[in-house]
Short mmCIF file of all heavy atoms in Angstrom, two decimals:
data_model
loop_
_atom_site.label_atom_id
_atom_site.label_comp_id
_atom_site.label_asym_id
_atom_site.label_seq_id
_atom_site.Cartn_x
_atom_site.Cartn_y
_atom_site.Cartn_z
N THR A 192 -19.34 89.21 -30.35
CA THR A 192 -19.98 87.99 -29.87
C THR A 192 -20.06 86.91 -30.94
O THR A 192 -19.81 85.73 -30.69
CB THR A 192 -21.39 88.31 -29.35
OG1 THR A 192 -21.31 89.29 -28.32
CG2 THR A 192 -22.06 87.06 -28.79
N LEU A 193 -20.42 87.30 -32.16
CA LEU A 193 -20.54 86.34 -33.25
C LEU A 193 -19.21 85.70 -33.57
O LEU A 193 -19.09 84.46 -33.70
CB LEU A 193 -21.13 87.01 -34.49
CG LEU A 193 -21.31 86.11 -35.72
CD1 LEU A 193 -22.24 84.95 -35.41
CD2 LEU A 193 -21.84 86.93 -36.90
N LEU A 194 -18.17 86.52 -33.71
CA LEU A 194 -16.84 86.01 -34.02
C LEU A 194 -16.35 85.08 -32.91
O LEU A 194 -15.85 83.98 -33.17
CB LEU A 194 -15.86 87.18 -34.19
CG LEU A 194 -14.37 86.82 -34.35
CD1 LEU A 194 -14.14 85.98 -35.57
CD2 LEU A 194 -13.53 88.10 -34.39
N ARG A 195 -16.51 85.52 -31.68
CA ARG A 195 -16.03 84.74 -30.54
C ARG A 195 -16.74 83.38 -30.44
O ARG A 195 -16.10 82.34 -30.29
CB ARG A 195 -16.25 85.54 -29.26
CG ARG A 195 -15.68 84.87 -28.02
CD ARG A 195 -15.86 85.76 -26.79
NE ARG A 195 -17.26 85.95 -26.44
CZ ARG A 195 -17.91 87.11 -26.49
NH1 ARG A 195 -17.28 88.21 -26.91
NH2 ARG A 195 -19.17 87.19 -26.13
N SER A 196 -18.07 83.40 -30.55
CA SER A 196 -18.83 82.16 -30.40
C SER A 196 -18.57 81.20 -31.56
O SER A 196 -18.48 79.98 -31.36
CB SER A 196 -20.32 82.45 -30.27
OG SER A 196 -20.82 83.10 -31.43
N LEU A 197 -18.42 81.74 -32.78
CA LEU A 197 -18.13 80.88 -33.93
C LEU A 197 -16.78 80.22 -33.77
O LEU A 197 -16.63 79.00 -33.98
CB LEU A 197 -18.17 81.72 -35.22
CG LEU A 197 -17.76 80.98 -36.51
CD1 LEU A 197 -18.67 79.78 -36.75
CD2 LEU A 197 -17.80 81.95 -37.69
N TYR A 198 -15.79 81.00 -33.38
CA TYR A 198 -14.43 80.47 -33.23
C TYR A 198 -14.39 79.38 -32.16
O TYR A 198 -13.81 78.30 -32.36
CB TYR A 198 -13.47 81.60 -32.87
CG TYR A 198 -12.02 81.19 -32.82
CD1 TYR A 198 -11.23 81.24 -33.96
CD2 TYR A 198 -11.44 80.75 -31.63
CE1 TYR A 198 -9.90 80.86 -33.92
CE2 TYR A 198 -10.11 80.37 -31.58
CZ TYR A 198 -9.34 80.43 -32.73
OH TYR A 198 -8.03 80.05 -32.68
N LEU A 199 -15.00 79.66 -31.02
CA LEU A 199 -14.97 78.68 -29.92
C LEU A 199 -15.74 77.41 -30.28
O LEU A 199 -15.35 76.30 -29.88
CB LEU A 199 -15.54 79.31 -28.65
CG LEU A 199 -14.69 80.43 -28.04
CD1 LEU A 199 -15.41 81.06 -26.85
CD2 LEU A 199 -13.31 79.92 -27.63
N SER A 200 -16.82 77.55 -31.06
CA SER A 200 -17.57 76.37 -31.50
C SER A 200 -16.72 75.51 -32.43
O SER A 200 -16.72 74.27 -32.33
CB SER A 200 -18.86 76.79 -32.20
OG SER A 200 -19.75 77.42 -31.31
N LEU A 201 -15.98 76.15 -33.33
CA LEU A 201 -15.10 75.41 -34.24
C LEU A 201 -13.98 74.73 -33.46
O LEU A 201 -13.63 73.57 -33.74
CB LEU A 201 -14.52 76.36 -35.28
CG LEU A 201 -15.52 76.96 -36.27
CD1 LEU A 201 -14.88 78.10 -37.05
CD2 LEU A 201 -16.04 75.90 -37.23
N LEU A 202 -13.44 75.43 -32.48
CA LEU A 202 -12.37 74.86 -31.66
C LEU A 202 -12.89 73.66 -30.88
O LEU A 202 -12.22 72.62 -30.79
CB LEU A 202 -11.85 75.93 -30.70
CG LEU A 202 -10.59 75.60 -29.89
CD1 LEU A 202 -9.43 75.29 -30.81
CD2 LEU A 202 -10.27 76.76 -28.97
N ASP A 203 -14.10 73.77 -30.34
CA ASP A 203 -14.70 72.64 -29.61
C ASP A 203 -14.90 71.44 -30.52
O ASP A 203 -14.69 70.29 -30.11
CB ASP A 203 -16.05 73.06 -29.01
CG ASP A 203 -15.90 73.95 -27.79
OD1 ASP A 203 -14.78 74.03 -27.25
OD2 ASP A 203 -16.89 74.60 -27.40
N LEU A 204 -15.33 71.69 -31.75
CA LEU A 204 -15.58 70.59 -32.68
C LEU A 204 -14.29 69.83 -32.97
O LEU A 204 -14.26 68.59 -32.96
CB LEU A 204 -16.18 71.14 -33.97
CG LEU A 204 -16.68 70.11 -35.01
CD1 LEU A 204 -17.81 70.71 -35.84
CD2 LEU A 204 -15.56 69.68 -35.95
N VAL A 205 -13.21 70.58 -33.22
CA VAL A 205 -11.93 69.93 -33.52
C VAL A 205 -11.44 69.13 -32.31
O VAL A 205 -11.03 67.98 -32.44
CB VAL A 205 -10.88 70.99 -33.92
CG1 VAL A 205 -9.50 70.34 -34.10
CG2 VAL A 205 -11.29 71.69 -35.21
N GLU A 206 -11.53 69.74 -31.13
CA GLU A 206 -11.05 69.06 -29.92
C GLU A 206 -11.88 67.82 -29.61
O GLU A 206 -11.34 66.78 -29.21
CB GLU A 206 -11.08 70.02 -28.74
CG GLU A 206 -10.52 69.41 -27.47
CD GLU A 206 -10.35 70.43 -26.36
OE1 GLU A 206 -10.80 71.58 -26.53
OE2 GLU A 206 -9.76 70.06 -25.32
N GLU A 207 -13.19 67.92 -29.81
CA GLU A 207 -14.08 66.81 -29.50
C GLU A 207 -13.74 65.55 -30.31
O GLU A 207 -13.86 64.43 -29.82
CB GLU A 207 -15.52 67.22 -29.77
CG GLU A 207 -16.55 66.13 -29.55
CD GLU A 207 -17.96 66.55 -29.94
OE1 GLU A 207 -18.16 67.75 -30.25
OE2 GLU A 207 -18.85 65.68 -29.95
N HIS A 208 -13.32 65.75 -31.56
CA HIS A 208 -13.09 64.60 -32.44
C HIS A 208 -11.63 64.15 -32.49
O HIS A 208 -11.32 63.18 -33.18
CB HIS A 208 -13.56 64.94 -33.86
CG HIS A 208 -15.06 65.03 -33.99
ND1 HIS A 208 -15.87 63.92 -33.88
CD2 HIS A 208 -15.87 66.09 -34.20
CE1 HIS A 208 -17.14 64.30 -34.03
NE2 HIS A 208 -17.16 65.60 -34.22
N THR A 209 -10.75 64.86 -31.78
CA THR A 209 -9.33 64.48 -31.82
C THR A 209 -9.05 63.39 -30.80
O THR A 209 -9.35 63.53 -29.62
CB THR A 209 -8.45 65.70 -31.52
OG1 THR A 209 -8.64 66.68 -32.55
CG2 THR A 209 -6.98 65.31 -31.50
N LEU A 210 -8.46 62.28 -31.27
CA LEU A 210 -8.11 61.17 -30.40
C LEU A 210 -6.68 61.29 -29.89
O LEU A 210 -6.40 61.02 -28.74
CB LEU A 210 -8.27 59.85 -31.16
CG LEU A 210 -9.69 59.52 -31.65
CD1 LEU A 210 -9.67 58.29 -32.54
CD2 LEU A 210 -10.63 59.31 -30.47
N SER A 211 -5.77 61.69 -30.77
CA SER A 211 -4.37 61.77 -30.37
C SER A 211 -3.59 62.56 -31.40
O SER A 211 -4.10 62.87 -32.48
CB SER A 211 -3.76 60.36 -30.23
OG SER A 211 -3.75 59.69 -31.47
N VAL A 212 -2.36 62.91 -31.03
CA VAL A 212 -1.44 63.58 -31.94
C VAL A 212 -0.29 62.62 -32.21
O VAL A 212 0.28 62.03 -31.29
CB VAL A 212 -0.89 64.88 -31.32
CG1 VAL A 212 0.04 65.59 -32.30
CG2 VAL A 212 -2.03 65.80 -30.90
N ARG A 213 0.04 62.45 -33.49
CA ARG A 213 1.06 61.46 -33.86
C ARG A 213 2.11 62.11 -34.78
O ARG A 213 1.81 63.09 -35.47
CB ARG A 213 0.41 60.29 -34.60
CG ARG A 213 -0.70 59.62 -33.79
CD ARG A 213 -1.39 58.54 -34.60
NE ARG A 213 -2.53 57.97 -33.88
CZ ARG A 213 -3.36 57.08 -34.40
NH1 ARG A 213 -3.18 56.65 -35.64
NH2 ARG A 213 -4.37 56.62 -33.68
N PRO A 214 3.32 61.54 -34.82
CA PRO A 214 4.33 62.04 -35.75
C PRO A 214 3.87 61.84 -37.19
O PRO A 214 3.10 60.93 -37.50
CB PRO A 214 5.56 61.17 -35.45
CG PRO A 214 5.30 60.58 -34.11
CD PRO A 214 3.80 60.44 -33.99
N ASP A 215 4.36 62.70 -38.07
CA ASP A 215 3.99 62.55 -39.48
C ASP A 215 4.93 61.63 -40.22
O ASP A 215 4.77 61.37 -41.41
CB ASP A 215 3.95 63.91 -40.18
CG ASP A 215 5.32 64.57 -40.29
OD1 ASP A 215 6.28 64.07 -39.66
OD2 ASP A 215 5.43 65.60 -40.97
N GLY A 216 5.95 61.12 -39.52
CA GLY A 216 6.90 60.19 -40.15
C GLY A 216 8.00 60.89 -40.90
O GLY A 216 8.88 60.25 -41.45
N GLU A 217 8.00 62.23 -40.92
CA GLU A 217 9.00 62.98 -41.67
C GLU A 217 9.96 63.73 -40.75
O GLU A 217 11.14 63.83 -41.04
CB GLU A 217 8.32 63.97 -42.62
CG GLU A 217 7.43 63.31 -43.66
CD GLU A 217 6.66 64.31 -44.50
OE1 GLU A 217 6.91 65.52 -44.33
OE2 GLU A 217 5.82 63.91 -45.32
N SER A 218 9.45 64.30 -39.67
CA SER A 218 10.26 65.11 -38.77
C SER A 218 9.97 64.74 -37.33
O SER A 218 8.87 64.28 -37.02
CB SER A 218 9.97 66.61 -38.99
OG SER A 218 10.18 66.97 -40.33
N PRO A 219 10.94 64.95 -36.42
CA PRO A 219 10.70 64.64 -35.00
C PRO A 219 9.57 65.51 -34.44
O PRO A 219 9.58 66.74 -34.58
CB PRO A 219 12.04 64.98 -34.35
CG PRO A 219 13.05 64.95 -35.44
CD PRO A 219 12.31 65.40 -36.68
N LEU A 220 8.60 64.89 -33.83
CA LEU A 220 7.46 65.62 -33.29
C LEU A 220 7.88 66.51 -32.12
O LEU A 220 7.37 67.61 -31.95
CB LEU A 220 6.38 64.64 -32.86
CG LEU A 220 5.05 65.23 -32.36
CD1 LEU A 220 4.49 66.23 -33.35
CD2 LEU A 220 4.05 64.12 -32.11
N SER A 221 8.84 66.04 -31.31
CA SER A 221 9.28 66.82 -30.16
C SER A 221 9.89 68.15 -30.60
O SER A 221 9.67 69.19 -29.96
CB SER A 221 10.31 66.03 -29.35
OG SER A 221 11.42 65.66 -30.14
N GLU A 222 10.62 68.13 -31.70
CA GLU A 222 11.21 69.36 -32.22
C GLU A 222 10.13 70.31 -32.71
O GLU A 222 10.20 71.53 -32.49
CB GLU A 222 12.17 69.02 -33.36
CG GLU A 222 12.87 70.23 -33.98
CD GLU A 222 13.80 69.83 -35.10
OE1 GLU A 222 14.35 68.71 -35.05
OE2 GLU A 222 13.97 70.63 -36.04
N HIS A 223 9.11 69.76 -33.34
CA HIS A 223 8.01 70.59 -33.85
C HIS A 223 7.28 71.30 -32.72
O HIS A 223 7.01 72.51 -32.79
CB HIS A 223 7.03 69.71 -34.64
CG HIS A 223 5.77 70.41 -35.02
ND1 HIS A 223 5.72 71.48 -35.89
CD2 HIS A 223 4.48 70.18 -34.64
CE1 HIS A 223 4.48 71.88 -36.03
NE2 HIS A 223 3.70 71.11 -35.28
N ILE A 224 6.95 70.59 -31.64
CA ILE A 224 6.19 71.24 -30.59
C ILE A 224 7.03 72.27 -29.83
O ILE A 224 6.50 73.28 -29.36
CB ILE A 224 5.53 70.22 -29.62
CG1 ILE A 224 6.55 69.39 -28.89
CG2 ILE A 224 4.55 69.34 -30.38
CD1 ILE A 224 5.92 68.43 -27.87
N ARG A 225 8.34 72.05 -29.75
CA ARG A 225 9.19 73.08 -29.13
C ARG A 225 9.19 74.35 -29.98
O ARG A 225 9.13 75.47 -29.45
CB ARG A 225 10.61 72.55 -28.94
CG ARG A 225 10.74 71.57 -27.78
CD ARG A 225 12.20 71.35 -27.42
NE ARG A 225 12.94 70.70 -28.50
CZ ARG A 225 13.07 69.38 -28.61
NH1 ARG A 225 12.50 68.58 -27.72
NH2 ARG A 225 13.76 68.85 -29.60
#
Side-chain angles (χ1 to χ4, degrees):
T192 303
L193 179 60
L194 173 61
R195 185 176 65 245
S196 62
L197 175 59
Y198 186 89
L199 292 175
S200 294
L201 294 167
L202 189 59
D203 285 345
L204 187 152
V205 174
E206 183 171 7
E207 177 185 353
H208 289 292
T209 297
L210 298 172
S211 63
V212 182
R213 304 175 185 175
D215 66 350
E217 299 175 5
S218 303
L220 185 51
S221 58
E222 180 180 330
H223 171 65
I224 62 177
R225 285 194 295 269

